[in-house]
């Protein structure tokens, strides 16, 4: 079981013709331990996606480095699977071929990769949809296919950038419960970005709150609400408990403070 | 802006633009809604009916416009007895072969060139000037040059049609390269794909809808070019048949040929639409 280490990483986007230099991340330190579910919250533009792109290997740091199991990350790879908000499935493949896509890229034979893909589809409640075209599925089901695809290549860490942002409220809560169950069953590391404070508190074992200009981690909280749910408590009961609400307001206050300092109402 | 004047023209425009509360099944503010199939059928029948009336009443001489029945009889006659050494089916078949040969050649070259142009700055720089130079030139303008270079046989005709199809297919493919969402490309790389795998398994299938549309446009251009080329330099083919019939003032053969040219063009388009539904059923969804 590996761990992920972000070591004093800074990212500067150079000045464009109409834009000044943006320090998207400044000296960010973050360690994700085996089995941890780290959630990132923060005002728009505080560098959450930039951090995820670094972990995925789509972007290289201006300073510092990122290590997975002591090996420096230098590009994208199958040990770090990404789940996007949308548009990342391949509509020319059916459900099972989407899930098996990463295995096919590796040259795995058809029956072996279908076996693996099928296992993950069943796990995500999509067992009956193997041969469906993905573009006919609902948003929630598409997102589950995306998660199954990420899991199928058996990565060390799942990187998720607002994966539930496009779902309606009810589907979203169901998906949250599914994801923490999957996380518990697979005990993979997870790095999860969200805009919803409630989602963050419910799902993570650790919350990092980020601030913009320059992007950095300003607060860290250890969480155990998800574990209460996994231990058998009802999800809404957990989310309505007094300590959950207290923490939610505390975190909201931090984020609103950042939004106001940034000049208010731009979204 | 007047509030009370121009009620008549206002309500006419209102009805076109559906600026009035809609009935179920209509959408407020969408112009041109509704099915027009029935009206089209009536329109078509009316035109043929008027044509039949005008010829049977002797308003127009058969030399200028034979009756619909005469054209159908000519169709049967040419289909069975032939025209200028070939039957109608042979003329049609030769024309179709020329177009499909050129289309196959164009797809085999224009799709890789278009992909290369979309993927590489260098390739775009190399191929842009020649394609943009000859693309707006009507193919018949360089047909004489083709004949000088390649003779009057099949090669010059097929090459001419090939060139006519090549440009739209290459340009369509090139712009199709941008159809893949960046998330799809990133997802593939983070699943361990090599650049070649991204090209063949993400970029190419994502570009397929645009490639097919471009091929459909190319097919239309190719057919137009072929018929024109056959009128200039050929001893067979449907375009040749129409032109040489006109020289003998066989108007019924000319009109019959025009109908066949139109029917084949329509059949090509139906075929392409069928292929589109088969090959890219996701088009319009994702
Ligand atoms: N490719 C880029 N070029 C220039 N600036 C960028 C680029 N990507 C992101 N940024 C800037 O970096 C900052 C952080 O962006 P991002 O990580 O997307 O924020 P978040 O995901 O938290 O909303 C923003 O100010 C954004 O404008
Ligand atoms: Mg973002």
């Amino acid at each position: 079981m590996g761990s992920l280490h972000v070591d004093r990483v800074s990212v500067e986007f150079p000045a464009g013709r109409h834009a000044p230099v943006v320090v998207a991340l400044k000296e960010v330190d973050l360690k994700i331990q085996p089995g941890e579910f780290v959630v990132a919250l923060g005002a728009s533009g505080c560098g959450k996606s930039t951090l995820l792109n670094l972990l995925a290997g789509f972007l290289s740091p201006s300073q510092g480095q990122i290590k997975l199991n002591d090996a420096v990350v230098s590009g994208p790879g199958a040990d770090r699977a990404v789940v996007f908000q949308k548009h990342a499935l391949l509509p020319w493949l059916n459900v099972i071929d989407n899930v098996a896509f990463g295995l096919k890229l590796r040259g795995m034979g058809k029956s072996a990769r279908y076996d693996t893909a099928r296992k993950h589809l069943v796990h995500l409640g999509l067992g009956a949809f193997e041969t469906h075209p993905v573009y006919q599925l609902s948003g929630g089901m598409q997102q589950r296919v995306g998660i199954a695809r990420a899991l199928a290549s058996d990565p060390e860490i799942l990187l998720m950038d607002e994966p539930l942002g496009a779902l309606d409220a009810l589907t979203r809560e169901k998906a949250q419960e599914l994801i923490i169950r999957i996380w518990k069953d697979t005990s993979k590391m997870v790095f999860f970005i969200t805009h919803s404070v409630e989602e963050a508190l419910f799902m993570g074992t650790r919350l990092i709150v980020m601030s913009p200009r320059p992007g950095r981690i300003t607060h860290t909280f250890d969480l155990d609400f998800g574990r209460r749910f996994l231990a058998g408590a009802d999800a809404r009961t957990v989310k309505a408990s007094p300590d959950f609400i207290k923490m939610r307001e505390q975190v909201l206050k931090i984020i609103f403070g950042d939004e106001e300092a940034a000049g208010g109402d731009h979204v | 802006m007047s509030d009370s004047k121009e009620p008549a023209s206002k309500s006419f425009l209102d009805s076109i633009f559906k600026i009035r509360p809609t009935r179920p099944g209509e959408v407020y503010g969408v112009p041109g809604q509704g099915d027009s199939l029935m009206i089209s059928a009536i329109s078509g029948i009316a035109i043929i009916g008027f044509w039949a009336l005008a010829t049977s009443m002797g308003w127009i001489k058969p030399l200028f416009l034979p009756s619909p029945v005469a054209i159908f009889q000519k169709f049967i006659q040419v289909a069975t007895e032939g025209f200028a050494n070939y039957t109608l089916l042979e003329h049609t078949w030769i024309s179709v072969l020329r177009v499909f040969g050129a289309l196959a050649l164009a797809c085999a070259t224009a799709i890789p060139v278009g992909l290369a142009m979309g993927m590489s700055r260098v390739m775009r720089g190399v191929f842009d000037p020649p394609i943009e130079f000859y693309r707006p030139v009507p193919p018949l303008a360089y047909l004489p040059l083709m004949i000088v270079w390649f003779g009057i046989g099949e090669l010059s005709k097929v090459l001419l049609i090939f060139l006519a199809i090549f440009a739209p297919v290459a340009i369509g493919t090139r712009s199709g390269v941008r159809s893949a969402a960046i998330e799809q490309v990133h997802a593939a790389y983070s699943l361990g794909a090599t650049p070649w795998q991204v090209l063949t398994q993400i970029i190419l299938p994502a570009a397929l809808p645009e490639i097919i549309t471009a091929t459909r446009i190319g097919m239309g251009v190719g057919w137009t070019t072929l018929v024109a080329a056959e009128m200039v330099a050929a001893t067979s083919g449907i375009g040749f048949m129409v032109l040489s019939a006109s020289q003998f003032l066989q108007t019924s053969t000319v009109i019959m040929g025009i109908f066949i040219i139109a029917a084949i063009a329509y059949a090509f388009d139906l075929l392409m639409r069928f292929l589109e539904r088969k090959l890219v059923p996701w088009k319009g969804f994702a």
Side-chain angles (χ1 to χ4, degrees):
Chain A
M1 238 356 102
S3 68
L4 194 96
H5 189 182
V6 177
D7 187 10
R8 285 178 71 80
V9 161
S10 300
V11 173
E12 271 180 36
F13 290 109
R17 214 178 326 155
H18 302 290
V21 176
V22 176
V23 183
L25 291 176
K26 188 171 169 70
E27 295 182 355
V28 169
D29 274 310
L30 177 67
K31 263 203 178 104
I32 304 180
Q33 303 292 352
E36 252 195 312
F37 195 127
V38 174
V39 200
L41 267 178
S44 281
C46 69
K48 304 181 295 292
S49 297
T50 303
L51 182 54
L52 185 134
N53 285 334
L54 281 168
L55 301 183
F58 301 137
L59 185 69
S60 57
S62 313
Q63 276 124 47
Q65 59 182 6
I66 293 166
K67 285 192 204 153
L68 179 64
N69 303 334
D70 298 322
V72 175
V73 166
S74 62
D79 47 4
R80 286 151 289 131
V82 186
V83 179
F84 299 88
Q85 183 170 359
K86 53 178 180 177
H87 288 318
L89 295 180
L90 310 177
W92 48 89
L93 300 179
N94 65 18
V95 167
I96 195 164
D97 282 320
N98 263 281
V99 175
F101 184 68
L103 305 173
K104 187 182 177 203
L105 292 175
R106 262 180 240 178
M108 188 187 276
K110 190 162 185 162
S111 69
R113 66 174 191 262
Y114 274 19
D115 284 347
T116 309
R118 207 164 272 141
K119 194 183 78 192
H120 291 287
L121 282 174
V122 170
H123 202 170
L124 283 141
L126 292 166
F129 296 93
E130 273 185 22
T131 56
H132 278 237
V134 284
Y135 53 85
Q136 285 179 359
L137 301 181
S138 68
M141 285 162 85
Q142 290 185 350
Q143 217 35 300
R144 280 188 273 158
V145 175
I147 294 168
R149 177 176 69 180
L151 289 169
S153 47
D154 195 24
E156 301 258 355
I157 183 165
L158 281 178
L159 306 170
M160 308 205 207
D161 195 345
E162 303 186 30
L164 310 182
L167 304 185
D168 65 86
L170 188 63
T171 313
R172 186 166 185 161
E173 301 220 354
K174 293 280 167 223
Q176 292 169 0
E177 297 172 20
L178 185 66
I179 291 174
I180 33 181
R181 287 222 174 83
I182 297 278
W183 164 73
K184 186 193 145 213
D185 293 347
T186 59
S187 60
K188 297 205 178 298
M189 295 184 279
V190 177
F191 181 75
F192 187 103
I193 297 173
T194 176
H195 262 121
S196 156
V197 176
E198 186 178 277
E199 183 167 286
L201 295 180
F202 180 66
M203 299 190 70
T205 57
R206 187 147 54 101
L207 166 66
I208 59 174
V209 182
M210 299 178 65
S211 278
R213 270 163 290 264
R216 64 207 184 280
I217 299 172
T218 51
H219 300 75
T220 303
F221 300 90
D222 286 319
L223 305 169
D224 74 335
F225 300 108
R227 291 200 191 93
R228 287 189 215 169
F229 166 74
L230 289 171
D234 175 67
R236 284 298 346 157
T237 312
V238 173
K239 290 174 185 174
S241 64
D243 49 348
F244 189 96
I245 292 172
K246 186 164 160 247
M247 190 151 198
R248 190 183 72 200
E249 296 309 311
Q250 185 187 352
V251 173
L252 276 171
K253 207 173 264 169
I254 297 169
I255 296 172
F256 281 150
D258 283 343
E259 296 269 9
E260 262 154 40
D265 57 296
H266 66 87
V267 183
Chain B
M1 286 277 155
S2 60
D3 298 12
S4 52
K5 283 188 172 180
E6 311 168 50
S9 74
K10 195 172 176 222
S11 73
F12 172 66
L13 265 187
D14 281 3
S15 79
I16 286 185
F17 285 97
K18 301 274 189 238
I19 302 290
R20 59 181 157 77
T22 51
R23 290 184 295 261
E26 291 182 339
V27 183
Y28 184 88
V30 177
Q33 289 179 83
D35 192 20
S36 63
L37 194 67
M38 200 58 206
I39 302 169
S40 297
I42 294 171
S43 161
I45 290 168
I47 290 170
I48 294 174
F50 184 72
W51 172 15
L53 183 73
T55 48
S56 70
M57 300 296 287
W59 296 341
I60 306 175
K61 282 192 190 139
L63 176 64
F64 294 115
L65 185 65
S67 71
V69 177
I71 283 166
F72 185 72
Q73 283 164 347
K74 180 56 85 176
F75 171 75
I76 303 290
Q77 188 207 334
V78 177
T80 51
E81 294 166 24
F83 179 95
N85 304 328
Y86 296 104
T87 65
L88 184 59
L89 194 64
E90 282 167 338
H91 280 298
T92 311
W93 182 237
I94 290 165
S95 294
V96 168
L97 272 190
R98 285 172 184 153
V99 155
F100 272 102
L103 180 74
L105 204 60
C107 286
T109 50
I111 292 173
V113 166
L115 280 179
M117 286 172 79
M119 301 290 292
S120 146
R121 187 176 62 94
V122 176
M123 290 307 206
R124 191 161 54 243
V126 168
F127 285 104
D128 232 6
I131 290 180
E132 289 303 328
F133 167 73
Y134 91 81
R135 188 184 58 87
V137 179
L140 282 191
Y142 48 83
L143 177 59
L145 188 63
M146 297 306 247
I147 291 173
V148 170
W149 285 351
F150 302 106
I152 198 132
E154 293 304 319
L155 184 63
S156 57
K157 278 186 280 293
V158 171
L159 276 180
L160 185 81
I161 305 157
F162 162 79
L163 285 174
I165 302 177
F166 183 90
V169 174
I171 289 170
T173 306
R174 167 188 159 173
S175 86
V177 167
R178 261 169 284 154
S179 306
I182 192 63
E183 286 89 352
Q184 291 172 324
V185 173
H186 281 180
Y189 278 121
S190 76
L191 290 167
T194 62
W196 177 251
Q197 285 175 322
V198 169
L199 175 63
T200 56
Q201 308 202 29
I202 306 287
I203 308 273
L204 188 58
L208 205 53
E210 276 205 58
I211 294 176
I212 290 176
T213 305
T215 310
R216 193 169 144 192
I217 293 168
M219 196 72 189
V221 178
W223 185 238
T224 315
T225 307
L226 166 85
V227 171
E230 285 176 343
M231 290 187 172
V232 177
T235 53
S236 61
I238 210 84
F240 157 78
M241 183 185 86
V242 169
L243 195 80
S244 53
S246 81
Q247 284 159 354
F248 298 108
L249 296 179
Q250 292 187 19
T251 317
S252 53
T253 308
V254 171
I255 292 177
M256 186 267 287
I258 291 171
F259 271 107
I260 289 177
I261 290 167
I264 291 175
Y266 186 63
F268 281 160
D269 210 54
L270 283 186
L271 177 73
M272 291 307 294
R273 274 190 253 173
F274 170 78
L275 282 179
E276 185 166 51
R277 270 201 308 278
K278 283 287 154 209
L279 291 174
V280 291
W282 69 88
K283 190 178 175 182
F285 283 94

